[in-house]
Amino acid sequence: MATLALFIFVIVHWLLQALIWLVIVAVIVDWLVNFQIINMRNRLAYNVVHMLQSATRPLLRPIQRVVPSLGGLDLSPMIFVIVVGAVDAVLLPAAYGAIVGAVG
């Protein structure tokens, strides 16, 4: 049972890490678009940017409702990375320890 719990928690850990990296890549690509380094008339660039925005918008929207942008600076990606990183570093190991301790 402990091996199954470890397997599940490792999968959850990697999914949380993937979400963090997805948001970081989306922010960097958004900066490149805003500074006109990436040309949005290129069909491939447009598709990649659209995919990243579609994937990260639902993750960041709840934070954007609570925390307004400060002078055009959106803090929601930074807050998302901090919260998900804290869940991954603190709550996930605690939950694993509680489950393994309860099972035996």
Side-chain angles (χ1 to χ4, degrees):
M1 184 67 182
T3 306
L4 179 62
L6 179 62
F7 175 76
I8 291 171
F9 281 100
V10 167
I11 297 296
V12 171
H13 165 74
W14 285 110
L15 289 174
L16 292 175
Q17 290 297 312
L19 283 176
I20 289 173
W21 281 107
L22 181 70
V23 168
I24 290 171
V25 168
V27 167
I28 292 171
V29 167
D30 189 48
W31 288 344
L32 294 174
V33 168
N34 287 334
F35 289 123
Q36 298 178 356
I37 295 171
I38 293 179
N39 186 358
M40 290 298 289
R41 287 177 287 194
N42 182 340
R43 191 70 182 156
L44 176 64
Y46 175 81
N47 287 336
V48 169
V49 170
H50 183 69
M51 184 271 308
L52 285 171
Q53 288 176 347
S54 297
T56 58
R57 193 176 305 130
L59 300 172
L60 299 177
R61 190 175 302 131
I63 299 170
Q64 291 169 343
R65 287 186 196 138
V66 177
V67 179
S69 61
L70 302 172
L73 181 64
D74 186 16
L75 298 177
S76 61
M78 184 173 62
I79 294 170
F80 179 83
V81 168
I82 291 170
V83 169
V84 172
V87 166
D88 187 36
V90 177
L91 293 181
L92 200 60
Y96 173 73
I99 290 175
V100 169
V103 171

